[in-house]
């Protein structure tokens, strides 16, 4: 498998605090790659650097053979990396349909074509019947799927999901896992940042563990779960 | 073309829309000159409010300095007319790039250096004030003594030179208002319009969806400024005088935005409805006061304040969205 996304020695510091310290990893084409870590491990900072919301202080981020570090968030999206937000932010005052149309318009100048594509995605994510609802009136699981639909509408090659399972009930989590598996099976590369271990173990093909800004382990979910350093710092001794 | 024009217009809303347009077209035969002048002023504010709404209502960028574009439009057209005998329509053609350039400079400074929200609004006020002070001291445009468009008795209406009776001015501003309404109808349903709404709703999320927010905010400012400049051209030739203290005044800017706020920001009918409510009721109020022999200076301003209070407290989305629901037409958002 070829690498779709490669980070080498990426760092970010906030004044004295080193949030991400020389992290390197590669996400193969077609992977379901998870980054896990406790609160403050630097997951979201790492995520924001890949998505263009923050500029790295050092290191390189290469996507599909081209450096994307230092590009703005919109330019990163146009290159083919779409994201969701940890605290969901669909366009609150617009209808569900319009939210997804906006994403679809990125590579489709024609509104009618964009609407058609938006409808396809809304059907897939079980939101079609709610397409005329105003986004702010949806429940949290619906808003999470709406944000995913908007991200998918931009036609990404890599989907970045920031704690997409957080706050979901178990049945909703299973529904989300099924959706992600289906998308991945169609060839979409997904990079997840997660706190919920259960979802990651069921889903990911690769796992990277961050601790205090440093990557301490990488491998399959089983390998990582057995890694002594991971058990020590993240999973806690009791869970073994 | 017709299909696209009527896209989003339901059968239920087509009939009242047609009746309204017919009534407006027939107005010069139905009302006296006084009421016709009122209608001209109402449509003028409806037009200017609609132009401002492109920036605030669609793209979410609050401008409190739209008097700048209005004044530039008026001064460009009036100067070209009085100095070189160039007609107001060509004057408008020159005013468009002038006002657009002013908007582009403000937009560039603000959006490049991330001046947003209330600070952006203050920047727009500052530029309108620069213009007011600058024009007040610029002898070429007669500084503070004002620029006058010569008033002569014309044997017949001359729409090409915007010289004539109220009926002619009425049809000019009605035509402009309808054209701008149609333009906004198309814009808000286009790719640009969707991107504006995205920026208005959440700029960070808009960027994450791949939208070059700088570019689309610039388009909003430039289109809004260019369209507003026509209101200035109309103002100059309707009132025949321009004083920097009046046209570039912050009160002028506020007056423009009261209509859309009361009618409904971000809606197509809001600015026009707001102008009718505000100017229509204010005029009715002063007529009643005059009839009873009461003379209270400033009563109109107090009335504006009361209207604004009522809307802010009772109808935060403006008068149009609840009215539209009541009439069972359209969606509450464009």
């Amino acid at each position: 498998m070829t690498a779709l996304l490669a980070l080498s020695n990426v760092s970010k510091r906030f004044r004295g605090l080193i949030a991400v310290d020389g992290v390197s990893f590669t996400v193969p084409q077609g992977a379901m790659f998870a980054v896990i870590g406790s609160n403050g491990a630097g997951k979201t900072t790492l995520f924001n650097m890949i998505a263009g919301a923050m500029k790295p202080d050092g290191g390189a981020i290469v996507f599909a053979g081209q450096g994307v570090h230092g590009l703005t968030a919109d330019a990163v999206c146009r290159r083919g990396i779409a994201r969701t937000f940890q605290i969901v932010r669909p366009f609150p005052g617009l209808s569900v349909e319009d939210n997804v149309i906006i994403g679809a318009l990125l590579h489709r100048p024609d509104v009618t074509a964009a609407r058609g594509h938006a409808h396809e995605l809304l059907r897939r994510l079980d939101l079609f019947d709610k397409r005329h609802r105003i986004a702010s009136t949806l429940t949290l699981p619906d808003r999470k799927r709406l944000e995913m639909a908007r991200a998918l509408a931009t036609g990404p090659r890599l989907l970045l999901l920031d704690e997409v399972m957080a706050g979901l009930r178990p049945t909703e989590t299973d529904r989300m896992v099924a959706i992600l598996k289906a998308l991945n099976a169609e060839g979409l590369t997904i990079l997840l940042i997660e706190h919920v271990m259960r979802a990651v173990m069921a889903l990911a093909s690769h796992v990277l563990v961050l601790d205090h800004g440093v990557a301490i382990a990488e491998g399959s979910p089983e390998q990582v779960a057995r890694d002594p350093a991971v058990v020590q710092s993240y999973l806690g001794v009791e869970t073994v | 073309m017709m299909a696209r024009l009527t896209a989003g217009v339901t059968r239920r809303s087509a009939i009242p829309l047609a009746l309204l347009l017919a009534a407006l077209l027939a107005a010069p035969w139905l009302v006296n000159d006084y009421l016709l002048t009122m209608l001209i002023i109402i449509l003028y504010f409806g037009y200017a409010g609609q132009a401002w709404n492109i920036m605030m209502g669609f793209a979410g960028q609050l401008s409190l300095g739209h008097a700048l574009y209005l004044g530039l439009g008026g001064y460009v057209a009036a100067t070209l007319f009085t100095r070189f005998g160039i007609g107001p329509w060509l004057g408008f053609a020159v005013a468009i790039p002038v006002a657009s350039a002013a908007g582009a400079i403000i937009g560039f400074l603000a959006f490049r250096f991330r001046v947003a929200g209330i600070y952006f609004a203050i920047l727009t006020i500052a530029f309108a004030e620069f213009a007011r002070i600058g024009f007040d001291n610029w002898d070429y445009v007669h500084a503070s003594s004002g620029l006058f468009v010569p008033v002569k008795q014309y044997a017949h209406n001359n729409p090409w030179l915007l010289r004539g009776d109220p009926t002619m001015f009425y049809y000019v501003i009605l035509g402009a208002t309808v054209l701008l309404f149609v333009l906004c109808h198309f814009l808000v349903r286009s790719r640009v319009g969707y991107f504006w709404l995205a920026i208005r709703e959440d700029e960070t999320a808009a960027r994450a969806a791949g939208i070059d927010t700088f570019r689309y905010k610039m388009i909003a400012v430039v289109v809004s400024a260019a369209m507003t400049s026509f209101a200035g051209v109309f103002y100059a030739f309707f009132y025949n005088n321009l004083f920097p203290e009046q046209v570039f005044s912050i009160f002028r800017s506020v007056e423009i935005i009261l209509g859309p706020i009361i009618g409904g920001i971000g809606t197509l009918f809001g600015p026009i409805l707001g102008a009718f409510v505000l100017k229509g009721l204010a005029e009715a109020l002063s007529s009643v006061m005059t009839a009873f022999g009461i003379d209270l200076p400033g009563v109109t301003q107090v009335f504006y304040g009361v209207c604004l209070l009522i809307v802010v407290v009772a109808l935060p989305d403006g008068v149009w969205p609840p009215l539209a629901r009541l009439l069972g037409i359209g969606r509450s958002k464009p």
Side-chain angles (χ1 to χ4, degrees):
Chain A
M1 287 201 284
T2 52
L4 182 63
L5 180 76
L7 276 74
S8 58
N9 218 16
V10 171
S11 299
K12 180 78 189 176
R13 58 174 70 228
F14 299 108
R15 295 176 186 273
L17 177 80
I18 301 171
V20 174
D21 189 6
V23 170
S24 303
F25 64 89
T26 58
V27 178
Q29 176 83 46
M32 178 84 85
F33 195 102
V35 176
I36 62 170
S38 53
N39 281 326
K43 300 189 298 289
T44 295
T45 305
L46 187 69
F47 187 95
N48 279 332
M49 286 191 287
I50 300 168
M54 286 178 188
K55 284 190 168 81
D57 295 329
I61 302 172
V62 176
F63 175 71
Q66 287 180 306
V68 293
H69 45 276
L71 290 184
T72 56
D74 49 306
V76 168
C77 178
R78 288 195 293 275
R79 294 284 181 91
I81 302 180
R83 70 169 294 180
T84 65
F85 291 89
Q86 190 174 346
I87 296 159
V88 286
R89 44 201 313 176
F91 302 121
L94 304 184
S95 71
V96 167
E97 179 183 87
D98 286 349
N99 261 274
V100 186
I101 287 174
I102 287 166
L105 280 167
L106 184 62
H107 296 300
R108 286 175 192 74
D110 180 58
V111 175
T112 312
R115 182 175 289 113
H117 186 62
H119 283 181
E120 272 174 46
L121 286 165
L122 288 170
R123 282 200 184 85
R124 276 204 76 163
L125 295 177
D126 296 336
L127 286 166
F128 187 72
D129 294 340
K130 295 173 181 164
R131 67 189 182 280
H132 295 310
R133 292 264 301 271
I134 299 298
S136 61
T137 68
L138 295 181
T139 59
L140 180 69
D142 282 348
R143 274 182 288 153
K144 290 211 164 195
R145 275 180 292 118
L146 173 57
E147 224 192 13
M148 260 182 61
R150 184 180 69 198
L152 289 170
T154 65
R157 296 175 64 190
L158 173 67
L159 183 62
L160 302 177
L161 301 171
D162 194 355
E163 303 220 359
V164 77
M165 310 289 180
L168 296 186
R169 284 174 283 117
T171 49
E172 290 291 348
T173 307
D174 292 343
R175 188 185 194 183
M176 188 62 93
V177 166
I179 290 168
L180 295 183
K181 276 186 168 162
L183 289 169
N184 187 237
E186 287 164 27
L188 182 68
T189 310
I190 298 175
L191 192 151
L192 305 145
I193 287 208
E194 271 306 332
H195 207 73
V196 182
M197 220 34 203
R198 184 175 111 86
V200 169
M201 290 305 174
L203 205 54
S205 56
H206 299 63
V207 178
L208 178 88
V209 185
L210 277 186
D211 185 46
H212 293 101
V214 181
I216 56 168
E218 193 186 340
S220 69
E222 296 77 27
Q223 286 170 334
V224 164
R226 280 196 301 270
D227 190 299
V230 176
V231 172
Q232 183 70 34
S233 80
Y234 178 59
L235 296 173
V237 182
E238 313 88 78
T239 58
V240 177
Chain B
M1 181 65 191
M2 274 315 285
R4 282 192 63 195
L5 193 61
T6 53
V9 181
T10 57
R11 188 166 302 210
R12 248 187 116 166
S13 61
I15 294 163
L17 198 61
L19 285 176
L20 176 69
L21 196 61
L24 286 171
L25 282 170
W29 286 285
L30 302 176
V31 301
N32 59 26
D33 265 9
Y34 167 72
L35 276 177
L36 194 64
T37 306
M38 269 315 299
L39 280 176
I40 292 170
I41 294 170
I42 287 170
L43 287 173
Y44 158 78
F45 278 105
Y47 176 92
Q50 189 82 272
W52 173 82
N53 197 41
I54 294 171
M55 217 170 126
M56 176 63 194
F58 298 161
Q61 306 303 309
L62 174 60
S63 166
L64 293 177
H66 255 50
L68 171 64
Y69 312 123
L70 194 119
L72 286 176
Y75 266 98
V76 166
T79 304
L80 288 175
F81 187 65
T82 55
R83 295 248 174 197
F84 308 103
I86 294 169
W89 296 103
L90 275 174
F92 176 42
V94 178
I96 287 176
V98 172
S100 299
I105 291 167
I106 296 172
F108 181 85
L109 288 174
F111 306 145
R112 182 56 79 211
F113 299 104
R114 290 165 203 269
V115 178
I118 199 73
Y119 300 101
F120 175 71
I122 291 169
L123 190 73
T124 62
I125 295 175
F127 272 87
E129 287 292 289
F130 291 158
R132 183 177 64 79
I133 295 161
F135 276 78
D136 221 17
N137 292 287
W138 190 13
D139 289 331
Y140 186 73
V141 295
H142 304 289
S144 57
S145 49
L147 185 59
F148 293 85
V149 177
V151 183
K152 285 186 209 144
Q153 284 300 323
Y154 287 87
H156 52 84
N157 288 330
N158 188 343
W160 177 241
L161 292 179
L162 279 186
R163 305 279 79 192
D165 60 16
T167 306
M168 185 213 70
F169 279 103
Y170 174 77
Y171 280 118
V172 167
I173 195 67
L174 177 63
T177 307
V178 170
L179 281 177
L180 185 58
F181 182 91
V182 172
L183 175 73
C184 288
H185 170 91
F186 277 122
L187 279 175
V188 82
R189 281 166 181 75
S190 71
R191 187 170 189 247
V192 173
Y194 273 103
F195 286 176
W196 283 341
L197 296 183
I199 293 167
R200 180 190 78 188
E201 292 292 316
D202 186 334
E203 196 169 335
T204 305
R207 292 174 74 97
I211 299 168
D212 182 347
T213 54
F214 176 81
R215 181 174 168 207
Y216 286 95
K217 286 194 288 186
M218 288 295 281
I219 295 173
V221 177
V222 166
V223 172
S224 180
M227 292 297 112
T228 306
S229 72
F230 178 73
V233 176
F234 185 83
Y235 179 100
F237 284 78
F238 182 64
Y239 289 107
N240 298 311
N241 63 69
L242 290 168
F243 294 95
E245 283 297 336
Q246 285 175 11
V247 287
F248 290 111
S249 145
I250 173 117
F251 297 109
R252 182 71 49 193
S253 298
V254 172
E255 210 174 16
I256 292 172
I257 75 178
L258 284 176
I261 290 174
I262 285 170
I265 291 176
T267 65
L268 290 172
F269 278 104
I272 297 165
L273 180 69
F276 265 97
V277 169
L278 211 56
K279 295 288 158 189
L281 289 182
E283 201 54 34
L285 182 73
S286 65
S287 303
V288 169
M289 302 261 300
T290 314
F292 282 95
I294 311 166
D295 180 26
L296 281 177
V299 70
T300 319
Q301 276 68 25
V302 173
F303 174 75
Y304 287 168
V306 171
C307 280
L308 207 56
L309 262 179
I310 292 171
V311 166
V312 168
V313 174
L315 302 165
D317 293 333
V319 178
W320 173 249
L323 184 67
R325 277 195 294 277
L326 206 67
L327 298 171
I329 51 179
R331 286 183 287 159
S332 58
K333 296 273 178 202

